[in-house]
Amino acid sequence: MVAELRSADVDSSGPARAEELVVLKAVEQRVLWLSTAIIDHANRVRPNPAGLKVGGHQASSASMTSIMTALWFHSLTAEDRVSVKPHASPVLHAINYLLDELDESYLTTLRAFGGLQSYPSRSKDPDPVDYSTGSVGIGATAPLWGALARRYVEGHFGGAGTGRQYSVLGDAELDEGAIWEAVQDPMVPGLGEAVWIVDLNRQSLDRVIPGIAADKLRGMFAAAGWQVLTLKYGHLLEELFTRSGGEALRARIDTMGNPEYQRLLRCSADQLRERLPGSGSTAQSIAGLIASLDDASLLAALRNLGGHDIGALMDAYDAVDDTRPTVIFAYTIKGYGLPTEGHPQNHSSLLTADQMTALADRLGLDLGHPWTRFADGSAEAALCTKAAQRLRRPGYALREAPTLPTDLGRAAPTGTGTGNTQQALGRVLLDLTRRAPEAASRIVTVSPDVSSSTNLGGWLNKVGVWSPTERPNWFADDAETILHWREQPTGQHVELGIAETNLVGVLGELGATWSRWGQPLLPIGVVYDPFVNRALEPWSFGIYAGGQSILVGTPSGVTLAPEGGAHQSITTPSLGIEQPGCVTYEPAFAIDTEWCLLTSLGNLGKTDGSSAYLRLSTRPVDQTLAAVPTDPAARERRRRHVTAGAYRLRQQEKPVVTIAAMGALVPEALAAADRLAALGQATDVVCVTSPDLLFRALQARRGLSDDPTWILDQVFPLDRATPLVTVLDGHPHTLAFLSTIQNVPVSTLGVTKFGQSGAIEDVYRYHSIDTDSIVTTALDLID
């Protein structure tokens, strides 16, 4: 359904409604002033010794004041949440100030250290922010995944309530591919609490957007199952359209290109009378219509779009169909109400001192005292108080995350059995349902259509697939169907379409439930490791917003040899080191995977928690190579080393060289050590499980952090310092820093070229990470 709501249909004739609109208009004007003044102070008033541009977006904020005023002061409830367009952050802060949720002292701190952030931030702003935004497309889609997370928590544990999930975004943001990946995902049409309000100002950063794209956009949302509402014209224009020549005027504006309309906004009344009629057959009737208007009315009518009509906005919010997602296209003017309105280069323009003074005079305010609140006893102050009381949320006590075992107690492998770290992932999840059912009940896995190929089949069969409603499993009686796809509200696996951006968006919101409703979840997302780069930016943004989760990349590296270069990851090992708020692990053996995963799960869902990235492999490895100690104390010591970043896997009496290997290449390192020993060159082997934690320890030793450093002395003691060969299935610089622990010579082996298809032996040889290459490199170092 695509519907155009006309403000002529808004019933504003009643005294109560008319009075409410007057008060809301006054609040809107104060929000416009405060948001503009916040930016003005940061750029023109606050001392700036460095002379660097501070920035801010007065025009982008101005286009949003009507939309956000009507939303906050009329429609929102305490259970609703809103993602705000990044460049409209000053509007959010202005509203929070009027709601007494932000102290006046912060209004002078936009983009200052410790002050109001450039873009809304859940973790850094001092006032309430529901969703962190700033990364184009990611903040806009977050409320979809927030709706899913709320439903999941409410269905499994209760306490998350109801409420709509709003996203207020600019029309230029609809160019971002992440938007459409989310809109078309099969999970989204059932999320009726999702409401997007598009600030259709028809400008981007550099220009007025050419052409008329609104009809196409409306059609795309409608095709995806969304309710589509359009607010194009305000009541002044709608009233004009009812007069003689009105339909011709509507048709003229409807078919007018965006740049021409924007140019008319910069015209005087005389110029407008000349240009607006155009040159077609209806020009005379349009000219006759606008001739009846005085200059002020003509200028006001041209600017009277639906996105600036408070009454029309209120009616649109009331018309939302909560059985499916809704998008509201609200036509606006960038810079509305400011001297820069409609200018094609107004994106980052700033008002001058004279323009600020003129704006203050027009609004009846004092530039010297910009933060004046509404007078006590006024209707505006009463409205702010009423809205603040309506929007005040109850506090949620944080439920303590469930206790996880540190070791599931599996016996050390014997014989010649092989296994891989990807298999270990599924095994650990199943073991937890038996050994720690309370903790397992908090685990939720997410996959973009790769559940079966990443060894989640057993877990999925055990816990089921999450769905808002129960759906029939038509293959339940098919004896040849191994994967049982039971979709029900109690399921613990969320299956999305093939889009990594959506996967990590859901992870971020599932990982933030501890901070929203006090209910910690333990979310694990599984993705093919070659595509982690595609998912990294939105996952990082989710971590920034407080979402704690585990991202599993599998299978990793060139070890997936037959797949070729397109499915081989090279840079991902170092990404975990570089990602704040995250610990990265790359275990070599199944038992290492178990310990690292349990530790990572134990860090989720708490105020001082962190996310984790596990890089796993499908390479079959002889598990006896792990040489897990049988003595309980020695086993625990090994576990502590594994989860701290590294352990000594092979230790000689008088080593002359050390091989530090990670992940799937540990068997090659051990084979190389055996051959070197046969040549009379005693070789130690260190198994690195987390270059991230080792690097943190090294930084701490240098006084640059407060992380523990003991692992360096345990695994790389000075009395065993030798020349070092590092090797991994990834870029060699990942482990290059290890040589600086004891300042020893180093040669780094890894993957620096695009992969090739072939047998694993051929591919390893091609990248010089095979056993021969390790031996040769070690001998060169020794010599």
Side-chain angles (χ1 to χ4, degrees):
M1 170 186 169
V2 179
E4 181 169 340
L5 299 182
R6 298 188 176 184
S7 58
D9 299 327
V10 176
D11 180 16
S12 58
S13 58
R17 178 63 172 241
E19 182 179 345
E20 182 182 12
L21 290 175
V22 169
V23 177
L24 280 167
K25 187 65 178 178
V27 173
E28 175 203 28
Q29 293 298 293
R30 189 60 57 89
V31 171
L32 172 67
W33 167 257
L34 287 170
S35 59
T36 305
I38 287 170
I39 300 168
D40 177 68
H41 189 281
N43 287 272
R44 194 180 56 79
V45 180
R46 193 170 69 214
N48 184 6
L52 296 175
K53 177 183 176 182
V54 176
H57 300 85
Q58 289 175 330
S60 294
S61 294
S63 70
M64 292 292 302
T65 54
S66 308
I67 291 171
M68 292 177 65
T69 298
L71 189 59
W72 260 263
F73 293 92
H74 170 75
S75 298
L76 284 186
T77 71
E79 291 188 317
D80 297 336
R81 297 180 186 272
V82 188
S83 170
V84 175
K85 184 176 82 169
H87 292 164
S89 65
V91 181
L92 177 61
H93 298 311
I95 289 173
N96 280 335
Y97 175 61
L98 292 178
L99 296 176
D100 206 25
E101 293 281 5
L102 180 67
D103 188 79
E104 180 180 320
S105 62
Y106 281 104
L107 300 181
T108 61
T109 66
L110 180 69
R111 302 191 173 199
F113 187 80
L116 300 177
Q117 299 301 296
S118 306
Y119 311 121
S121 171
R122 288 192 73 222
S123 57
K124 294 183 178 180
D125 271 316
D127 53 334
V129 173
D130 291 333
Y131 291 97
S132 296
T133 60
S135 180
V136 177
I138 304 306
T141 58
L144 297 176
W145 317 129
L148 189 155
R150 185 205 62 76
R151 290 193 183 202
Y152 188 95
V153 169
E154 179 64 22
H156 284 76
F157 308 106
T162 58
R164 290 176 179 171
Q165 301 280 336
Y166 289 90
S167 180
V168 182
L169 63 153
D171 54 341
E173 197 163 6
L174 294 176
D175 289 344
E176 175 56 53
I179 295 283
W180 301 107
E181 287 185 347
V183 167
Q184 63 81 42
D185 191 273
M187 187 72 71
V188 169
L191 302 176
E193 61 268 51
V195 180
W196 286 12
I197 307 167
V198 179
D199 170 21
L200 196 65
N201 60 51
R202 294 168 285 187
Q203 284 185 239
S204 59
L205 190 152
D206 290 329
R207 61 176 180 168
V208 177
I209 298 173
I212 302 174
D215 288 341
K216 178 183 70 174
L217 294 171
R218 286 193 288 264
M220 292 167 70
F221 276 98
W226 289 49
Q227 178 192 26
V228 182
L229 303 176
T230 301
L231 293 175
K232 191 166 187 179
Y233 300 118
H235 71 280
L236 294 178
L237 274 175
E238 291 284 8
E239 194 279 326
L240 275 182
F241 295 154
T242 66
R243 301 186 191 180
S244 176
E247 284 304 314
L249 177 61
R250 179 193 289 274
R252 165 83 170 114
I253 299 177
D254 278 346
T255 57
M256 186 182 296
N258 294 334
E260 182 182 3
Y261 176 79
Q262 297 289 100
R263 181 63 186 90
L264 292 180
L265 294 172
R266 309 294 298 172
C267 290
S268 66
D270 288 342
Q271 292 171 326
L272 196 54
R273 294 182 194 281
E274 178 183 347
R275 294 189 179 202
L276 182 55
S279 58
S281 60
T282 60
Q284 187 173 352
S285 62
I286 296 174
L289 172 61
I290 63 178
S292 64
L293 304 176
D294 59 41
D295 288 354
S297 297
L298 176 59
L299 293 171
L302 183 70
R303 290 157 171 75
N304 185 228
L305 299 182
H308 299 302
D309 191 299
I310 297 290
L313 286 162
M314 292 162 60
D315 273 20
Y317 301 155
D318 293 342
V320 169
D321 175 7
D322 289 320
T323 65
R324 55 184 171 152
T326 295
V327 60
I328 301 172
F329 286 98
Y331 281 71
T332 63
I333 297 170
K334 196 164 185 175
Y336 181 73
L338 303 180
T340 58
E341 67 178 6
H343 193 282
Q345 278 83 53
N346 67 5
H347 182 80
S348 356
S349 63
L350 299 169
L351 270 59
T352 65
D354 289 344
Q355 288 174 326
M356 286 296 298
T357 299
L359 179 63
D361 291 343
R362 176 165 68 83
L363 298 177
L365 298 167
D366 181 1
L367 182 59
H369 299 86
W371 319 124
T372 304
R373 294 180 181 272
F374 291 113
D376 291 340
S378 66
E380 293 82 6
L383 178 63
C384 291
T385 299
K386 181 180 178 181
Q389 292 172 346
R390 183 183 73 248
L391 297 175
R392 191 155 292 125
R393 292 172 181 158
Y396 293 99
L398 175 58
R399 179 187 176 98
E400 187 174 347
T403 301
L404 282 141
T406 58
D407 189 336
L408 296 177
R410 281 182 174 262
T414 58
T416 57
T418 62
N420 63 59
T421 55
Q422 180 178 286
Q423 290 172 341
L425 168 67
R427 189 192 74 188
V428 171
L429 294 178
L430 283 175
D431 282 352
L432 282 173
T433 63
R434 296 183 288 268
R435 294 288 307 278
E438 183 182 356
S441 71
R442 296 271 167 175
I443 294 175
V444 52
T445 55
V446 188
S447 167
D449 200 38
V450 292
S451 303
S452 56
S453 57
T454 54
N455 283 91
L456 289 183
W459 161 260
L460 194 147
N461 286 342
K462 176 77 173 179
V463 302
V465 179
W466 180 81
S467 174
T469 59
E470 187 161 357
R471 299 173 180 173
N473 178 13
W474 297 107
F475 289 87
D477 58 348
D478 187 339
E480 295 183 6
T481 298
I482 299 175
L483 189 64
H484 303 297
W485 206 261
R486 294 178 292 109
E487 297 180 87
Q488 52 200 4
T490 57
Q492 290 180 239
H493 174 78
V494 177
E495 186 83 2
L496 299 168
I498 305 175
E500 287 77 15
T501 298
N502 291 346
L503 165 85
V504 294
V506 172
L507 273 186
E509 291 307 316
L510 291 170
T513 59
W514 65 274
S515 61
R516 294 198 189 280
W517 303 288
Q519 289 286 0
L521 295 177
L522 310 179
I524 303 172
V526 182
V527 63
Y528 285 164
D529 196 67
F531 308 135
V532 163
N533 285 285
R534 187 184 300 172
L536 182 63
E537 188 258 346
W539 188 54
S540 174
F541 209 78
I543 295 174
Y544 171 76
Q548 299 170 8
S549 62
I550 297 173
L551 182 63
V552 176
T554 181
S556 61
V558 300
T559 299
L560 193 64
E563 291 280 357
H567 279 65
Q568 295 174 356
S569 49
I570 295 171
T571 61
T572 51
S574 63
L575 293 180
I577 301 178
E578 299 156 11
Q579 175 58 53
C582 165
V583 176
T584 184
Y585 288 106
E586 183 167 348
F589 301 103
I591 190 63
D592 297 354
T593 305
E594 173 189 310
W595 290 335
C596 292
L597 182 60
L598 291 174
T599 296
S600 300
L601 287 168
N603 285 331
L604 301 179
K606 54 186 68 174
T607 54
D608 59 346
S610 69
S611 295
Y613 163 48
L614 271 67
R615 193 170 185 257
L616 304 184
S617 174
T618 53
R619 183 188 183 186
V621 171
D622 179 0
Q623 298 299 305
T624 63
L625 295 176
V628 180
T630 56
D631 179 79
R635 179 185 173 105
E636 172 58 16
R637 183 176 185 271
R638 166 69 71 84
R639 187 199 66 81
R640 289 180 61 245
H641 283 198
V642 166
T643 58
Y647 58 96
R648 301 190 71 81
L649 185 55
R650 184 76 59 82
Q651 184 166 303
Q652 304 296 336
E653 185 175 350
K654 293 181 179 180
V656 296
V657 67
T658 299
I659 302 172
M662 189 165 74
L665 287 180
V666 167
E668 275 66 32
L670 290 171
D674 289 341
R675 285 173 54 182
L676 287 166
L679 295 172
Q681 309 293 337
T683 304
D684 281 356
V685 177
V686 171
C687 181
V688 175
T689 54
S690 176
D692 181 15
L693 292 177
L694 295 181
F695 185 76
R696 295 187 197 190
L698 187 59
Q699 292 290 85
R701 176 181 282 182
R702 294 166 177 161
L704 299 176
S705 74
D706 57 0
D707 291 282
T709 63
W710 62 267
I711 189 64
L712 301 181
D713 297 324
Q714 292 281 321
V715 180
F716 297 96
L718 182 59
D719 62 356
R720 302 192 69 82
T722 67
L724 181 66
V725 177
T726 67
V727 60
L728 75 155
D729 188 357
H731 200 283
H733 80 79
T734 306
L735 299 180
F737 72 91
L738 295 179
S739 66
T740 66
I741 296 174
Q742 299 296 353
N743 296 315
V744 297
V746 65
S747 287
T748 57
L749 301 179
V751 182
T752 58
K753 299 176 287 188
F754 285 113
Q756 300 286 340
S757 295
I760 192 170
E761 297 83 2
D762 297 330
V763 172
Y764 279 8
R765 189 178 304 110
Y766 171 77
H767 291 289
S768 298
I769 55 176
D770 59 317
T771 301
D772 284 351
S773 297
I774 298 172
V775 171
T776 300
T777 302
L779 291 174
D780 288 342
L781 270 179
I782 295 169
D783 290 342

Short mmCIF file of all heavy atoms in Angstrom, two decimals, residues 401-421:
data_model
loop_
_atom_site.label_atom_id
_atom_site.label_comp_id
_atom_site.label_asym_id
_atom_site.label_seq_id
_atom_site.Cartn_x
_atom_site.Cartn_y
_atom_site.Cartn_z
N ALA A 401 25.08 -12.31 34.16
CA ALA A 401 25.26 -13.31 33.12
C ALA A 401 25.50 -14.68 33.76
O ALA A 401 26.13 -14.77 34.82
CB ALA A 401 26.44 -12.92 32.22
N PRO A 402 25.01 -15.73 33.15
CA PRO A 402 25.15 -17.07 33.75
C PRO A 402 26.61 -17.49 33.83
O PRO A 402 27.44 -17.10 33.01
CB PRO A 402 24.37 -17.97 32.80
CG PRO A 402 24.37 -17.24 31.49
CD PRO A 402 24.34 -15.78 31.85
N THR A 403 26.91 -18.29 34.84
CA THR A 403 28.26 -18.80 35.02
C THR A 403 28.54 -19.89 33.99
O THR A 403 27.72 -20.79 33.78
CB THR A 403 28.44 -19.37 36.44
OG1 THR A 403 28.17 -18.34 37.39
CG2 THR A 403 29.85 -19.89 36.63
N LEU A 404 29.69 -19.78 33.37
CA LEU A 404 30.08 -20.76 32.36
C LEU A 404 31.24 -21.60 32.89
O LEU A 404 32.12 -21.08 33.58
CB LEU A 404 30.51 -20.05 31.08
CG LEU A 404 29.36 -19.54 30.21
CD1 LEU A 404 29.68 -18.20 29.61
CD2 LEU A 404 29.05 -20.56 29.12
N PRO A 405 31.27 -22.86 32.55
CA PRO A 405 32.45 -23.66 32.92
C PRO A 405 33.65 -23.18 32.12
O PRO A 405 33.51 -22.65 31.01
CB PRO A 405 32.04 -25.08 32.53
CG PRO A 405 31.00 -24.90 31.47
CD PRO A 405 30.26 -23.64 31.81
N THR A 406 34.82 -23.33 32.67
CA THR A 406 36.03 -22.97 31.94
C THR A 406 36.60 -24.14 31.16
O THR A 406 37.41 -23.96 30.25
CB THR A 406 37.10 -22.44 32.90
OG1 THR A 406 37.38 -23.45 33.88
CG2 THR A 406 36.63 -21.16 33.58
N ASP A 407 36.16 -25.35 31.51
CA ASP A 407 36.67 -26.56 30.87
C ASP A 407 35.55 -27.60 30.93
O ASP A 407 35.01 -27.87 32.00
CB ASP A 407 37.92 -27.05 31.62
CG ASP A 407 38.64 -28.18 30.88
OD1 ASP A 407 37.99 -28.88 30.08
OD2 ASP A 407 39.85 -28.35 31.11
N LEU A 408 35.22 -28.17 29.79
CA LEU A 408 34.15 -29.17 29.76
C LEU A 408 34.64 -30.56 30.12
O LEU A 408 33.86 -31.51 30.15
CB LEU A 408 33.50 -29.18 28.37
CG LEU A 408 32.78 -27.88 27.99
CD1 LEU A 408 32.24 -27.95 26.57
CD2 LEU A 408 31.66 -27.58 28.97
N GLY A 409 35.96 -30.72 30.36
CA GLY A 409 36.50 -31.95 30.91
C GLY A 409 36.64 -33.10 29.94
O GLY A 409 36.78 -34.25 30.36
N ARG A 410 36.61 -32.83 28.66
CA ARG A 410 36.81 -33.92 27.71
C ARG A 410 38.23 -34.48 27.85
O ARG A 410 39.19 -33.73 28.01
CB ARG A 410 36.60 -33.44 26.29
CG ARG A 410 35.12 -33.33 25.88
CD ARG A 410 34.98 -32.89 24.45
NE ARG A 410 33.59 -32.94 24.01
CZ ARG A 410 33.06 -33.93 23.32
NH1 ARG A 410 33.81 -34.98 22.98
NH2 ARG A 410 31.79 -33.91 22.95
N ALA A 411 38.34 -35.79 27.75
CA ALA A 411 39.65 -36.43 27.88
C ALA A 411 40.53 -36.06 26.70
O ALA A 411 40.05 -35.82 25.59
CB ALA A 411 39.48 -37.94 27.96
N ALA A 412 41.83 -36.00 26.96
CA ALA A 412 42.78 -35.72 25.88
C ALA A 412 42.69 -36.82 24.83
O ALA A 412 42.54 -38.00 25.15
CB ALA A 412 44.20 -35.65 26.44
N PRO A 413 42.73 -36.47 23.55
CA PRO A 413 42.57 -37.47 22.47
C PRO A 413 43.74 -38.44 22.46
O PRO A 413 44.87 -38.11 22.79
CB PRO A 413 42.54 -36.62 21.21
CG PRO A 413 43.25 -35.35 21.57
CD PRO A 413 42.94 -35.11 23.02
N THR A 414 43.43 -39.66 22.08
CA THR A 414 44.46 -40.69 21.92
C THR A 414 44.31 -41.30 20.53
O THR A 414 43.35 -41.06 19.82
CB THR A 414 44.31 -41.79 22.99
OG1 THR A 414 43.01 -42.35 22.88
CG2 THR A 414 44.51 -41.20 24.38
N GLY A 415 45.27 -42.11 20.15
CA GLY A 415 45.21 -42.75 18.85
C GLY A 415 45.53 -41.76 17.74
O GLY A 415 46.31 -40.84 17.91
N THR A 416 44.89 -41.95 16.59
CA THR A 416 45.21 -41.12 15.42
C THR A 416 43.98 -40.37 14.92
O THR A 416 43.89 -40.03 13.76
CB THR A 416 45.76 -41.99 14.28
OG1 THR A 416 44.79 -43.02 13.97
CG2 THR A 416 47.08 -42.64 14.68
N GLY A 417 43.01 -40.14 15.79
CA GLY A 417 41.81 -39.45 15.38
C GLY A 417 42.10 -38.01 14.98
O GLY A 417 42.95 -37.34 15.57
N THR A 418 41.39 -37.55 13.95
CA THR A 418 41.56 -36.17 13.51
C THR A 418 40.27 -35.39 13.75
O THR A 418 39.20 -35.96 13.94
CB THR A 418 41.93 -36.10 12.02
OG1 THR A 418 40.86 -36.66 11.26
CG2 THR A 418 43.23 -36.84 11.74
N GLY A 419 40.40 -34.11 13.72
CA GLY A 419 39.26 -33.22 13.87
C GLY A 419 39.68 -31.82 13.45
O GLY A 419 40.84 -31.57 13.13
N ASN A 420 38.72 -30.91 13.43
CA ASN A 420 39.07 -29.53 13.09
C ASN A 420 38.37 -28.55 14.02
O ASN A 420 37.44 -28.92 14.75
CB ASN A 420 38.75 -29.23 11.62
CG ASN A 420 37.28 -29.35 11.29
OD1 ASN A 420 36.44 -28.67 11.85
ND2 ASN A 420 36.95 -30.23 10.34
N THR A 421 38.83 -27.34 13.98
CA THR A 421 38.32 -26.36 14.94
C THR A 421 36.89 -25.95 14.63
O THR A 421 36.14 -25.57 15.53
CB THR A 421 39.24 -25.12 14.97
OG1 THR A 421 39.37 -24.59 13.64
CG2 THR A 421 40.60 -25.48 15.51
#
